[in-house]
Amino acid sequence: MTARRRVRPRKLPTQARAKATVEVIVEAAARILVRHGFEGMTTNRVAEKAGVSVGSLYQYFPNKESLVAELERRHHAELRAAFEEALPQAMALDVAGAVSLLIQSAVKVHTINPELHRVLSEEIPRIGPAPEFKAFEQEVYENLKAYFEARRSELCVPDTGLAAFIVLRTVEASVHDTMIHQTTPQNLGLLGQELSRMITLYLTGGPVSAKPARAKLGKAAWH
Amino acid sequence: MTARRRVRPRKLPTQARAKATVEVIVEAAARILVRHGFEGMTTNRVAEKAGVSVGSLYQYFPNKESLVAELERRHHAELRAAFEEALPQAMALDVAGAVSLLIQSAVKVHTINPELHRVLSEEIPRIGPAPEFKAFEQEVYENLKAYFEARRSELCVPDTGLAAFIVLRTVEASVHDTMIHQTTPQNLGLLGQELSRMITLYLTGGPVSAKPARAKLGKAAWH
Amino acid sequence: MTARRRVRPRKLPTQARAKATVEVIVEAAARILVRHGFEGMTTNRVAEKAGVSVGSLYQYFPNKESLVAELERRHHAELRAAFEEALPQAMALDVAGAVSLLIQSAVKVHTINPELHRVLSEEIPRIGPAPEFKAFEQEVYENLKAYFEARRSELCVPDTGLAAFIVLRTVEASVHDTMIHQTTPQNLGLLGQELSRMITLYLTGGPVSAKPARAKLGKAAWH
Amino acid sequence: MTARRRVRPRKLPTQARAKATVEVIVEAAARILVRHGFEGMTTNRVAEKAGVSVGSLYQYFPNKESLVAELERRHHAELRAAFEEALPQAMALDVAGAVSLLIQSAVKVHTINPELHRVLSEEIPRIGPAPEFKAFEQEVYENLKAYFEARRSELCVPDTGLAAFIVLRTVEASVHDTMIHQTTPQNLGLLGQELSRMITLYLTGGPVSAKPARAKLGKAAWH
DNA sequence: AATGAATGAGTATTCATTCAT
DNA sequence: CATGAATGAATACTCATTCAT
């Protein structure tokens, strides 16, 4: 497994001009990344497109990776912001409502800069996803699990961790794929309805499988 | 989006020796791809590891991509084989049985060369998935949809295409992620049970959402 | 051979603050040169370490070379100071005493900032040694030769210029190498004793080689 | 201190063409190194001058340093050859003869490609001299010391190791400097005579310094 | 067919130096 | 005077691909 290089910006720009330069670089990078993919994104090209010199780019980003990392960081911050708004609200609702809101949020989140989202999630040589992102996913997972624990009496699942895992994977994968390949508002709406129904049914409805085997499951088994 | 280059082997090897050469190249490529990732896989390195000259490699593979494509093709053929055995059997069962078998098959399929599977699915600069792969997925989707159509009376879904899409996405994503990150037989067993329950419930159980709006859905809306 | 660039400081600092700035830069440069070598000494790094801006550095030093040149100049001034103290004293002694004092001084001189001495003498891409240094060496050479001329009756060498050259080269090389590689007070002491003996013997003792051929030697033949 | 990088040729050329390529590269490198110095010697320039592609250069030399190392290696082999011829002969002679022959050899050795010798010895960022070179110097030192031990009765020195060190340093430094700065056959001849006289006198002649303190000197104290 | 030497455009990155503020 | 952001030519090195033998 390839080692992770330094991905922090070299120095934080203090002056206004520097800030503007960083901004212009990041924007150019995003555009080129989307248009030409990771391979086609060369630092010289980014600098040129940004209208600055390569030197300026390297003044703020010690290497190409750190530039992509910044893109990830920003995109992820947007995702997180969109989600963090909805999450507490969802946690206050009943199961059906929470599931529904969760899915709506997932859709909304995937509406944010979807081309960039695609490139970032599919084309970046994974040196391992950004730690912040993992932390965020973990956090959502923990929240959902805690919510399930709290509503345990209303639920009908053998393991709240497993349930949270399945729900998150299912929603994420379905929404992601729909966004990438069958993106129409129509489709998204229908998908949301069906997912809501499926997941709510799963959580509250059906007969639990015979052997829950809960004892064997460690606390972090699903994340 | 980058255009897809010629990925067919330059010539089909007729002689036994040639066949052996191709074999030895493909195996070396697979090993290097797994061990060093896509970036670390250079044609010269593959040739060296295979014990042949680069020239020979290019005799059979017009470019690096075609080599990776061959890897994909072979891996995919294995997946397909594993699935094609189960699919007709599943189609003959009732919904619960079919779903269960489907999921078991998915798990089994993901057991095949999982490191290669991971590299192929995560690290290859996506030029678009191999057409054969899309075709295969499409085929599975069609089969499942057809099965749902046939069992329509037993089901409780507004749109069989959408249902097939969701089922496939859900199973694939959950199993894939579990294989990559929480791979224990224990986990896989539990996951299978829960997925089966959720999907069966979804297909047969709960109250259908109010407005199916089926008329609007084109034939290929979900694939 | 690369041409020598302007190496004089851009302007002589008159104000106290400016003087302090120059000082702080030169010290930082020396430290970095010693610690990281010539390659590792970048003007930006020097400025940063000195706590001033690169601009300020270039205010006083028109280019990197001039900074190194200043380092050389200062180091050389120290060497000269140490030597100039001893030289007149030595010139007043008899041959054995003079040689002995000369060697003692050489050792003492090599004690001054030996790491800097090493870097300066071994690692600097030679554009030719600083002219001042050549002048100093020349001066020492002239002095020694004049001393030999004055003591000609006590000596037993065919050519005082050649003798001065050999003596200086021998002392310098032996002391330098010992400082760099076998630096112990013990070693230095022994070396001094032996060098003294050898050189004194050479100057005063042995039978002169057959054909002195002095006529052919121009005045500056050995420097 | 900077770490030493891999300096071995990447692969040994087996075919005649490859051998010729290596040769042409090495020759171009030598010429450029002499003409433009280490900094001015870029791999692209060398390749161009050699009439091959940079790729070819890197096929045989993994980095710039390894190319310089090869130059060192070759130059050093020449030096060694010239010296190894004379050394056994010298060892068979009496002290005066041995010293004389040694010095003649040193002069002859410094006649070999003197410009390259200069660049190699003065301009190369010293990562430490090539290990082979150190070994060679060590070997000469050992031989000389052994010779002194064998002739101990004829000698008049307190420490054979120290004597060998001084002799080698003195000869090397004097000849080297003369080659670089006062190179005339005339000068070299005179220098040789005088050095011979001085060293022979030193070894055989004068009164040994009072306290030899031999006990303190470890075997390798002077090398 | 097979070899492997040769190619060279392309890439990330550095660093001495300038100049607007 | 001082700052430090900006510059960009220059450099070492890679690797998919070709082609003479």
Side-chain angles (χ1 to χ4, degrees):
Chain A
M1 194 70 53
T2 331
R4 206 176 169 83
R5 301 174 65 189
R6 179 160 57 115
V7 291
R8 277 272 147 210
R10 202 190 277 265
K11 58 168 69 170
L12 298 179
T14 50
Q15 299 188 3
R17 181 157 59 125
K19 223 164 233 165
T21 300
V22 168
E23 228 49 37
V24 105
I25 289 169
V26 167
E27 276 154 29
R31 257 212 286 283
I32 289 178
L33 186 58
V34 165
R35 200 157 12 240
H36 302 276
F38 182 77
E39 295 278 271
M41 170 191 170
T42 75
T43 50
N44 282 285
R45 194 165 2 187
V46 169
E48 193 185 21
K49 179 104 180 183
V52 301
S53 66
V54 228
S56 287
L57 190 157
Y58 279 91
Q59 190 106 83
Y60 300 108
F61 302 97
N63 48 51
K64 189 183 169 181
E65 254 171 52
S66 69
L67 185 49
V68 176
E70 177 63 14
L71 255 27
E72 274 188 304
R73 190 150 37 239
R74 288 175 176 225
H75 181 61
H76 163 254
E78 287 187 296
L79 302 191
R80 162 167 235 149
F83 225 93
E84 272 176 345
E85 198 182 337
L87 209 55
Q89 288 177 32
M91 303 293 93
L93 303 177
D94 68 354
V95 176
V99 165
S100 183
L101 185 49
L102 194 75
I103 290 167
Q104 275 174 50
S105 300
V107 170
K108 200 175 87 189
V109 158
H110 277 87
T111 302
I112 298 167
N113 212 342
E115 305 107 313
L116 185 61
H117 188 78
R118 193 199 60 81
V119 184
L120 250 21
S121 65
E122 295 194 344
E123 211 158 336
I124 302 302
R126 291 259 155 241
I127 266 154
E132 288 102 325
F133 201 77
K134 290 209 103 164
F136 173 51
E137 287 186 327
Q138 179 68 23
E139 190 188 319
V140 173
Y141 168 79
E142 301 288 5
N143 272 293
L144 193 58
K145 193 181 162 200
Y147 172 80
F148 288 166
E149 295 288 4
R151 302 268 169 166
R152 167 149 281 296
S153 61
E154 303 167 38
L155 300 187
C156 190
V157 291
D159 181 285
T160 52
L162 175 52
F165 174 82
I166 288 179
V167 167
L168 290 178
R169 286 300 81 214
T170 294
V171 172
E172 158 63 21
S174 299
V175 173
H176 182 93
D177 261 55
T178 305
M179 280 304 301
I180 304 273
H181 297 117
Q182 283 85 28
T183 329
T184 69
Q186 175 83 307
N187 277 352
L188 283 167
L190 284 169
L191 178 78
Q193 281 178 31
E194 284 292 272
L195 281 178
S196 290
R197 191 164 66 83
M198 175 169 81
I199 290 167
T200 308
L201 258 178
Y202 161 59
L203 290 172
T204 60
V208 182
S209 20
K211 296 177 244 150
R214 291 192 59 209
K216 294 277 183 118
L217 283 173
K219 201 176 180 183
W222 292 100
H223 237 87
Chain B
M1 189 74 53
T2 331
R4 206 175 169 82
R5 301 174 62 193
R6 177 159 59 115
V7 291
R8 275 271 148 211
R10 203 189 276 266
K11 57 172 61 175
L12 297 178
T14 49
Q15 300 176 10
R17 179 152 67 114
K19 217 166 235 165
T21 301
V22 167
E23 225 51 34
V24 108
I25 290 169
V26 167
E27 275 154 30
R31 258 213 285 283
I32 290 177
L33 187 58
V34 166
R35 196 153 21 235
H36 302 276
F38 183 77
E39 294 278 87
M41 172 190 170
T42 73
T43 50
N44 282 284
R45 183 135 54 155
V46 169
E48 193 186 19
K49 179 106 178 182
V52 301
S53 66
V54 230
S56 288
L57 190 157
Y58 278 88
Q59 195 85 44
Y60 298 110
F61 301 96
N63 47 50
K64 189 182 172 184
E65 248 171 57
S66 67
L67 184 50
V68 176
E70 177 64 14
L71 253 30
E72 276 188 302
R73 188 148 40 238
R74 285 171 179 230
H75 180 62
H76 162 255
E78 287 186 295
L79 302 192
R80 158 166 262 182
F83 225 93
E84 272 176 345
E85 196 182 338
L87 208 55
Q89 290 176 32
M91 302 295 93
L93 302 177
D94 67 356
V95 175
V99 165
S100 183
L101 185 49
L102 193 74
I103 290 166
Q104 277 174 48
S105 301
V107 170
K108 200 176 86 189
V109 158
H110 276 86
T111 302
I112 298 167
N113 212 341
E115 305 108 312
L116 185 61
H117 188 77
R118 194 200 58 81
V119 184
L120 250 21
S121 66
E122 294 194 344
E123 213 160 332
I124 301 302
R126 290 262 154 239
I127 268 152
E132 288 100 326
F133 201 77
K134 292 208 99 164
F136 172 51
E137 286 185 328
Q138 179 68 22
E139 188 188 320
V140 174
Y141 167 78
E142 299 290 4
N143 271 291
L144 192 60
K145 193 182 162 198
Y147 172 82
F148 287 166
E149 294 289 6
R151 302 268 171 165
R152 169 149 281 294
S153 59
E154 303 167 38
L155 301 186
C156 191
V157 292
D159 182 285
T160 51
L162 175 51
F165 174 83
I166 288 178
V167 167
L168 290 177
R169 284 302 81 213
T170 293
V171 172
E172 157 63 21
S174 299
V175 173
H176 182 92
D177 260 55
T178 304
M179 280 304 300
I180 304 273
H181 298 117
Q182 283 86 26
T183 329
T184 69
Q186 174 83 308
N187 276 351
L188 282 168
L190 283 169
L191 178 79
Q193 282 177 29
E194 283 293 273
L195 280 179
S196 289
R197 192 166 64 82
M198 175 170 81
I199 289 168
T200 307
L201 258 177
Y202 161 60
L203 291 172
T204 60
V208 184
S209 22
K211 299 177 240 152
R214 292 192 59 210
K216 295 274 182 120
L217 283 174
K219 200 177 181 184
W222 290 100
H223 237 87
Chain C
M1 190 74 49
T2 331
R4 206 174 169 84
R5 303 174 60 189
R6 179 160 57 115
V7 290
R8 276 270 148 212
R10 202 188 278 265
K11 56 173 66 176
L12 297 177
T14 49
Q15 301 177 8
R17 179 151 65 113
K19 219 166 234 165
T21 302
V22 167
E23 227 49 36
V24 107
I25 290 170
V26 168
E27 276 154 30
R31 258 214 284 284
I32 290 178
L33 186 58
V34 166
R35 214 182 329 263
H36 302 277
F38 182 78
E39 295 277 89
M41 172 190 170
T42 74
T43 50
N44 281 284
R45 180 134 56 153
V46 169
E48 192 186 18
K49 179 107 179 180
V52 302
S53 65
V54 230
S56 288
L57 189 157
Y58 278 88
Q59 194 85 44
Y60 299 110
F61 301 95
N63 49 51
K64 189 184 172 182
E65 249 171 57
S66 68
L67 185 50
V68 177
E70 178 63 14
L71 254 29
E72 276 188 303
R73 189 151 37 240
R74 289 174 174 228
H75 181 61
H76 162 255
E78 287 187 295
L79 302 191
R80 156 167 259 171
F83 228 92
E84 274 176 346
E85 196 181 338
L87 210 53
Q89 289 177 35
M91 302 295 92
L93 302 177
D94 67 355
V95 174
V99 165
S100 183
L101 185 50
L102 193 76
I103 290 166
Q104 277 174 48
S105 301
V107 170
K108 201 175 85 188
V109 159
H110 277 87
T111 304
I112 299 167
N113 212 341
E115 305 109 312
L116 185 61
H117 188 77
R118 194 199 60 81
V119 183
L120 250 20
S121 66
E122 295 194 344
E123 213 159 336
I124 302 302
R126 291 261 154 237
I127 266 152
E132 288 99 327
F133 200 78
K134 291 208 101 166
F136 173 51
E137 287 185 326
Q138 179 68 24
E139 189 187 318
V140 174
Y141 168 78
E142 300 290 4
N143 272 292
L144 194 59
K145 194 182 161 199
Y147 173 80
F148 288 167
E149 295 289 4
R151 302 268 170 166
R152 168 151 282 296
S153 60
E154 302 168 37
L155 301 186
C156 191
V157 293
D159 182 283
T160 51
L162 175 50
F165 174 82
I166 288 180
V167 168
L168 290 177
R169 284 300 81 215
T170 294
V171 173
E172 157 64 22
S174 299
V175 174
H176 182 93
D177 260 55
T178 305
M179 281 304 302
I180 305 272
H181 297 117
Q182 283 85 25
T183 328
T184 69
Q186 174 84 309
N187 277 352
L188 283 169
L190 284 170
L191 178 77
Q193 281 177 31
E194 284 292 272
L195 281 179
S196 289
R197 193 165 64 82
M198 175 168 80
I199 290 167
T200 307
L201 257 178
Y202 161 60
L203 291 172
T204 61
V208 181
S209 19
K211 300 177 235 148
R214 292 190 60 208
K216 295 275 184 119
L217 283 172
K219 201 176 179 182
W222 291 101
H223 238 86
Chain D
M1 196 71 51
T2 333
R4 206 177 168 83
R5 303 174 63 190
R6 178 160 59 116
V7 290
R8 276 270 147 211
R10 203 188 277 266
K11 59 169 67 168
L12 300 179
T14 51
Q15 299 187 3
R17 181 155 62 124
K19 225 165 231 166
T21 299
V22 168
E23 227 50 37
V24 105
I25 290 170
V26 168
E27 276 154 29
R31 259 212 284 285
I32 290 179
L33 186 58
V34 166
R35 208 171 349 254
H36 302 275
F38 183 77
E39 295 279 89
M41 171 190 167
T42 73
T43 51
N44 283 285
R45 193 162 8 181
V46 169
E48 193 185 18
K49 180 105 177 180
V52 301
S53 67
V54 228
S56 286
L57 192 158
Y58 278 92
Q59 190 106 79
Y60 300 108
F61 301 97
N63 48 51
K64 189 184 167 180
E65 253 171 54
S66 68
L67 185 49
V68 176
E70 178 63 14
L71 254 29
E72 275 189 302
R73 190 150 36 239
R74 286 173 177 227
H75 181 62
H76 164 254
E78 287 187 297
L79 302 191
R80 160 165 243 158
F83 225 93
E84 273 177 344
E85 198 182 336
L87 210 54
Q89 290 176 33
M91 303 293 93
L93 303 177
D94 65 356
V95 174
V99 166
S100 183
L101 185 50
L102 194 74
I103 290 167
Q104 277 175 48
S105 300
V107 171
K108 199 175 90 186
V109 157
H110 277 87
T111 302
I112 298 166
N113 213 341
E115 306 106 311
L116 184 61
H117 188 77
R118 193 198 59 81
V119 185
L120 250 20
S121 66
E122 294 193 346
E123 211 158 336
I124 301 304
R126 292 253 154 246
I127 266 154
E132 288 102 325
F133 201 78
K134 292 207 100 166
F136 173 51
E137 288 186 327
Q138 179 68 23
E139 189 187 318
V140 174
Y141 167 79
E142 300 288 6
N143 273 292
L144 193 59
K145 195 183 160 198
Y147 174 80
F148 288 166
E149 296 286 7
R151 302 266 169 166
R152 171 154 276 296
S153 59
E154 305 166 37
L155 302 185
C156 190
V157 292
D159 183 282
T160 51
L162 175 51
F165 175 80
I166 288 180
V167 167
L168 290 177
R169 284 301 80 214
T170 293
V171 172
E172 157 63 21
S174 300
V175 173
H176 182 92
D177 262 53
T178 304
M179 281 305 301
I180 304 273
H181 297 116
Q182 283 84 25
T183 328
T184 68
Q186 176 82 309
N187 277 351
L188 283 167
L190 285 169
L191 178 78
Q193 282 176 29
E194 284 294 271
L195 281 179
S196 289
R197 194 164 63 81
M198 175 170 81
I199 290 167
T200 307
L201 260 178
Y202 161 60
L203 292 172
T204 61
V208 181
S209 20
K211 298 176 240 148
R214 293 192 58 210
K216 294 276 183 118
L217 285 171
K219 203 176 179 180
W222 290 100
H223 238 87

